[in-house]
PDB file of all heavy atoms in Angstrom:
ATOM      1  N   VAL A  22     -49.433   5.170 -43.061  1.00  0.00           N
ATOM      2  CA  VAL A  22     -48.982   6.468 -42.546  1.00  0.00           C
ATOM      3  C   VAL A  22     -48.022   6.189 -41.393  1.00  0.00           C
ATOM      4  O   VAL A  22     -48.444   5.831 -40.292  1.00  0.00           O
ATOM      5  CB  VAL A  22     -50.171   7.346 -42.074  1.00  0.00           C
ATOM      6  CG1 VAL A  22     -49.669   8.724 -41.636  1.00  0.00           C
ATOM      7  CG2 VAL A  22     -51.223   7.503 -43.182  1.00  0.00           C
ATOM      8  N   TYR A  35     -43.090  11.958 -42.472  1.00  0.00           N
ATOM      9  CA  TYR A  35     -44.384  12.311 -41.868  1.00  0.00           C
ATOM     10  C   TYR A  35     -44.311  12.151 -40.356  1.00  0.00           C
ATOM     11  O   TYR A  35     -45.257  11.701 -39.712  1.00  0.00           O
ATOM     12  CB  TYR A  35     -45.491  11.422 -42.455  1.00  0.00           C
ATOM     13  CG  TYR A  35     -45.391  11.307 -43.958  1.00  0.00           C
ATOM     14  CD1 TYR A  35     -45.036  10.105 -44.570  1.00  0.00           C
ATOM     15  CD2 TYR A  35     -45.622  12.423 -44.754  1.00  0.00           C
ATOM     16  CE1 TYR A  35     -44.920  10.016 -45.949  1.00  0.00           C
ATOM     17  CE2 TYR A  35     -45.500  12.349 -46.135  1.00  0.00           C
ATOM     18  CZ  TYR A  35     -45.142  11.138 -46.735  1.00  0.00           C
ATOM     19  OH  TYR A  35     -45.017  11.055 -48.089  1.00  0.00           O
ATOM     20  N   SER A  62     -41.426   1.800 -35.923  1.00  0.00           N
ATOM     21  CA  SER A  62     -40.942   1.046 -37.083  1.00  0.00           C
ATOM     22  C   SER A  62     -40.702  -0.404 -36.664  1.00  0.00           C
ATOM     23  O   SER A  62     -40.252  -0.667 -35.548  1.00  0.00           O
ATOM     24  CB  SER A  62     -39.627   1.637 -37.591  1.00  0.00           C
ATOM     25  OG  SER A  62     -39.073   0.762 -38.565  1.00  0.00           O
ATOM     26  N   PRO A  71     -41.349   2.740 -26.640  1.00  0.00           N
ATOM     27  CA  PRO A  71     -42.266   2.707 -25.488  1.00  0.00           C
ATOM     28  C   PRO A  71     -43.658   3.224 -25.854  1.00  0.00           C
ATOM     29  O   PRO A  71     -43.798   4.096 -26.724  1.00  0.00           O
ATOM     30  CB  PRO A  71     -41.601   3.636 -24.467  1.00  0.00           C
ATOM     31  CG  PRO A  71     -40.172   3.747 -24.898  1.00  0.00           C
ATOM     32  CD  PRO A  71     -40.148   3.529 -26.386  1.00  0.00           C
ATOM     33  N   ASP A 117     -51.838  -5.829 -35.414  1.00  0.00           N
ATOM     34  CA  ASP A 117     -50.861  -6.300 -34.427  1.00  0.00           C
ATOM     35  C   ASP A 117     -49.873  -7.264 -35.094  1.00  0.00           C
ATOM     36  O   ASP A 117     -50.183  -8.436 -35.318  1.00  0.00           O
ATOM     37  CB  ASP A 117     -51.608  -6.991 -33.279  1.00  0.00           C
ATOM     38  CG  ASP A 117     -50.666  -7.448 -32.174  1.00  0.00           C
ATOM     39  OD1 ASP A 117     -49.440  -7.242 -32.300  1.00  0.00           O
ATOM     40  OD2 ASP A 117     -51.163  -8.018 -31.187  1.00  0.00           O
ATOM     41  N   LEU A 139     -54.103 -10.193 -37.466  1.00  0.00           N
ATOM     42  CA  LEU A 139     -53.120 -11.087 -36.842  1.00  0.00           C
ATOM     43  C   LEU A 139     -52.049 -11.373 -37.890  1.00  0.00           C
ATOM     44  O   LEU A 139     -52.340 -11.934 -38.944  1.00  0.00           O
ATOM     45  CB  LEU A 139     -53.786 -12.407 -36.438  1.00  0.00           C
ATOM     46  CG  LEU A 139     -54.817 -12.345 -35.319  1.00  0.00           C
ATOM     47  CD1 LEU A 139     -55.508 -13.704 -35.165  1.00  0.00           C
ATOM     48  CD2 LEU A 139     -54.162 -11.944 -33.993  1.00  0.00           C
ATOM     49  N   GLY A 144     -39.689 -14.543 -34.672  1.00  0.00           N
ATOM     50  CA  GLY A 144     -38.773 -13.765 -33.824  1.00  0.00           C
ATOM     51  C   GLY A 144     -39.272 -12.341 -33.646  1.00  0.00           C
ATOM     52  O   GLY A 144     -40.465 -12.074 -33.753  1.00  0.00           O
ATOM     53  N   PRO A 153     -33.584 -16.980 -40.945  1.00  0.00           N
ATOM     54  CA  PRO A 153     -34.863 -17.657 -40.677  1.00  0.00           C
ATOM     55  C   PRO A 153     -34.966 -18.962 -41.460  1.00  0.00           C
ATOM     56  O   PRO A 153     -34.504 -19.025 -42.601  1.00  0.00           O
ATOM     57  CB  PRO A 153     -35.898 -16.645 -41.173  1.00  0.00           C
ATOM     58  CG  PRO A 153     -35.182 -15.792 -42.166  1.00  0.00           C
ATOM     59  CD  PRO A 153     -33.743 -15.753 -41.749  1.00  0.00           C
ATOM     60  N   ALA A 164     -50.489 -22.636 -40.084  1.00  0.00           N
ATOM     61  CA  ALA A 164     -50.764 -23.301 -38.801  1.00  0.00           C
ATOM     62  C   ALA A 164     -50.673 -22.304 -37.657  1.00  0.00           C
ATOM     63  O   ALA A 164     -51.510 -22.290 -36.737  1.00  0.00           O
ATOM     64  CB  ALA A 164     -49.774 -24.450 -38.582  1.00  0.00           C
ATOM     65  N   ALA A 173     -57.594 -16.010 -30.282  1.00  0.00           N
ATOM     66  CA  ALA A 173     -58.384 -14.780 -30.276  1.00  0.00           C
ATOM     67  C   ALA A 173     -59.843 -15.109 -29.943  1.00  0.00           C
ATOM     68  O   ALA A 173     -60.473 -14.424 -29.120  1.00  0.00           O
ATOM     69  CB  ALA A 173     -58.282 -14.083 -31.634  1.00  0.00           C
ATOM     70  N   VAL A 183     -61.607 -10.734 -37.469  1.00  0.00           N
ATOM     71  CA  VAL A 183     -60.170 -10.984 -37.641  1.00  0.00           C
ATOM     72  C   VAL A 183     -59.785 -11.099 -39.120  1.00  0.00           C
ATOM     73  O   VAL A 183     -60.484 -11.732 -39.909  1.00  0.00           O
ATOM     74  CB  VAL A 183     -59.774 -12.277 -36.896  1.00  0.00           C
ATOM     75  CG1 VAL A 183     -58.281 -12.548 -37.043  1.00  0.00           C
ATOM     76  CG2 VAL A 183     -60.154 -12.183 -35.417  1.00  0.00           C
ATOM     77  N   SER A 198     -40.654 -15.363 -48.702  1.00  0.00           N
ATOM     78  CA  SER A 198     -41.688 -14.382 -49.034  1.00  0.00           C
ATOM     79  C   SER A 198     -42.368 -14.750 -50.348  1.00  0.00           C
ATOM     80  O   SER A 198     -43.600 -14.673 -50.477  1.00  0.00           O
ATOM     81  CB  SER A 198     -41.089 -12.969 -49.119  1.00  0.00           C
ATOM     82  OG  SER A 198     -40.756 -12.531 -47.821  1.00  0.00           O
ATOM     83  N   LEU A 199     -41.570 -15.181 -51.332  1.00  0.00           N
ATOM     84  CA  LEU A 199     -42.145 -15.565 -52.635  1.00  0.00           C
ATOM     85  C   LEU A 199     -43.057 -16.774 -52.486  1.00  0.00           C
ATOM     86  O   LEU A 199     -44.162 -16.823 -53.048  1.00  0.00           O
ATOM     87  CB  LEU A 199     -41.027 -15.874 -53.633  1.00  0.00           C
ATOM     88  CG  LEU A 199     -40.226 -14.646 -54.079  1.00  0.00           C
ATOM     89  CD1 LEU A 199     -39.038 -15.070 -54.934  1.00  0.00           C
ATOM     90  CD2 LEU A 199     -41.117 -13.677 -54.836  1.00  0.00           C
ATOM     91  N   ARG A 204     -48.232 -19.224 -52.744  1.00  0.00           N
ATOM     92  CA  ARG A 204     -49.134 -20.249 -52.193  1.00  0.00           C
ATOM     93  C   ARG A 204     -50.149 -19.628 -51.224  1.00  0.00           C
ATOM     94  O   ARG A 204     -50.507 -20.214 -50.204  1.00  0.00           O
ATOM     95  CB  ARG A 204     -48.310 -21.338 -51.499  1.00  0.00           C
ATOM     96  CG  ARG A 204     -47.470 -22.135 -52.508  1.00  0.00           C
ATOM     97  CD  ARG A 204     -46.587 -23.147 -51.815  1.00  0.00           C
ATOM     98  NE  ARG A 204     -47.345 -24.075 -50.997  1.00  0.00           N
ATOM     99  CZ  ARG A 204     -46.812 -24.780 -49.980  1.00  0.00           C
ATOM    100  NH1 ARG A 204     -45.536 -24.639 -49.675  1.00  0.00           N
ATOM    101  NH2 ARG A 204     -47.555 -25.608 -49.281  1.00  0.00           N
ATOM    102  N   ALA A 210     -57.606 -20.452 -47.381  1.00  0.00           N
ATOM    103  CA  ALA A 210     -58.396 -21.603 -46.935  1.00  0.00           C
ATOM    104  C   ALA A 210     -58.860 -21.468 -45.487  1.00  0.00           C
ATOM    105  O   ALA A 210     -59.789 -22.163 -45.056  1.00  0.00           O
ATOM    106  CB  ALA A 210     -57.586 -22.889 -47.101  1.00  0.00           C
ATOM    107  N   SER A 220     -45.546  -3.716 -50.123  1.00  0.00           N
ATOM    108  CA  SER A 220     -45.141  -2.421 -50.648  1.00  0.00           C
ATOM    109  C   SER A 220     -43.682  -2.062 -50.327  1.00  0.00           C
ATOM    110  O   SER A 220     -43.299  -1.970 -49.152  1.00  0.00           O
ATOM    111  CB  SER A 220     -46.087  -1.371 -50.047  1.00  0.00           C
ATOM    112  OG  SER A 220     -45.884  -0.119 -50.595  1.00  0.00           O
ATOM    113  N   LEU A 237     -41.818   0.692 -57.029  1.00  0.00           N
ATOM    114  CA  LEU A 237     -43.263   0.801 -57.252  1.00  0.00           C
ATOM    115  C   LEU A 237     -43.790  -0.305 -58.164  1.00  0.00           C
ATOM    116  O   LEU A 237     -44.736  -1.005 -57.813  1.00  0.00           O
ATOM    117  CB  LEU A 237     -43.619   2.179 -57.835  1.00  0.00           C
ATOM    118  CG  LEU A 237     -45.087   2.342 -58.233  1.00  0.00           C
ATOM    119  CD1 LEU A 237     -46.004   2.177 -57.015  1.00  0.00           C
ATOM    120  CD2 LEU A 237     -45.334   3.702 -58.881  1.00  0.00           C
ATOM    121  N   ALA A 245     -50.824  -7.294 -57.202  1.00  0.00           N
ATOM    122  CA  ALA A 245     -51.817  -7.797 -58.166  1.00  0.00           C
ATOM    123  C   ALA A 245     -51.908  -9.323 -58.097  1.00  0.00           C
ATOM    124  O   ALA A 245     -53.014  -9.884 -58.079  1.00  0.00           O
ATOM    125  CB  ALA A 245     -51.449  -7.345 -59.576  1.00  0.00           C
ATOM    126  N   ALA A 262     -51.701   4.355 -57.285  1.00  0.00           N
ATOM    127  CA  ALA A 262     -51.253   3.307 -58.217  1.00  0.00           C
ATOM    128  C   ALA A 262     -51.750   1.936 -57.760  1.00  0.00           C
ATOM    129  O   ALA A 262     -52.182   1.111 -58.581  1.00  0.00           O
ATOM    130  CB  ALA A 262     -49.731   3.319 -58.308  1.00  0.00           C
ATOM    131  N   ARG A 268     -57.801  -2.959 -58.663  1.00  0.00           N
ATOM    132  CA  ARG A 268     -59.103  -3.054 -59.355  1.00  0.00           C
ATOM    133  C   ARG A 268     -59.011  -4.040 -60.526  1.00  0.00           C
ATOM    134  O   ARG A 268     -59.922  -4.820 -60.780  1.00  0.00           O
ATOM    135  CB  ARG A 268     -59.553  -1.690 -59.896  1.00  0.00           C
ATOM    136  CG  ARG A 268     -60.059  -0.671 -58.879  1.00  0.00           C
ATOM    137  CD  ARG A 268     -61.442  -0.983 -58.299  1.00  0.00           C
ATOM    138  NE  ARG A 268     -61.361  -1.813 -57.117  1.00  0.00           N
ATOM    139  CZ  ARG A 268     -61.054  -1.393 -55.893  1.00  0.00           C
ATOM    140  NH1 ARG A 268     -60.825  -0.129 -55.647  1.00  0.00           N
ATOM    141  NH2 ARG A 268     -60.989  -2.249 -54.879  1.00  0.00           N
ATOM    142  N   ARG A 284     -81.291 -17.928 -66.222  1.00  0.00           N
ATOM    143  CA  ARG A 284     -82.586 -18.627 -66.198  1.00  0.00           C
ATOM    144  C   ARG A 284     -83.294 -18.514 -67.534  1.00  0.00           C
ATOM    145  O   ARG A 284     -83.195 -17.482 -68.198  1.00  0.00           O
ATOM    146  CB  ARG A 284     -83.461 -18.034 -65.108  1.00  0.00           C
ATOM    147  CG  ARG A 284     -82.965 -18.461 -63.764  1.00  0.00           C
ATOM    148  CD  ARG A 284     -84.066 -18.388 -62.742  1.00  0.00           C
ATOM    149  NE  ARG A 284     -83.473 -18.601 -61.434  1.00  0.00           N
ATOM    150  CZ  ARG A 284     -83.851 -17.983 -60.345  1.00  0.00           C
ATOM    151  NH1 ARG A 284     -84.835 -17.134 -60.378  1.00  0.00           N
ATOM    152  NH2 ARG A 284     -83.272 -18.208 -59.199  1.00  0.00           N
TER     153      ARG A 284
END
Side-chain angles (χ1 to χ4, degrees):
V22 184
Y35 315 111
S62 170
D117 183 359
L139 293 173
V183 181
S198 289
L199 290 173
R204 293 176 57 201
S220 187
L237 174 61
R268 286 287 89 79
R284 287 203 189 143

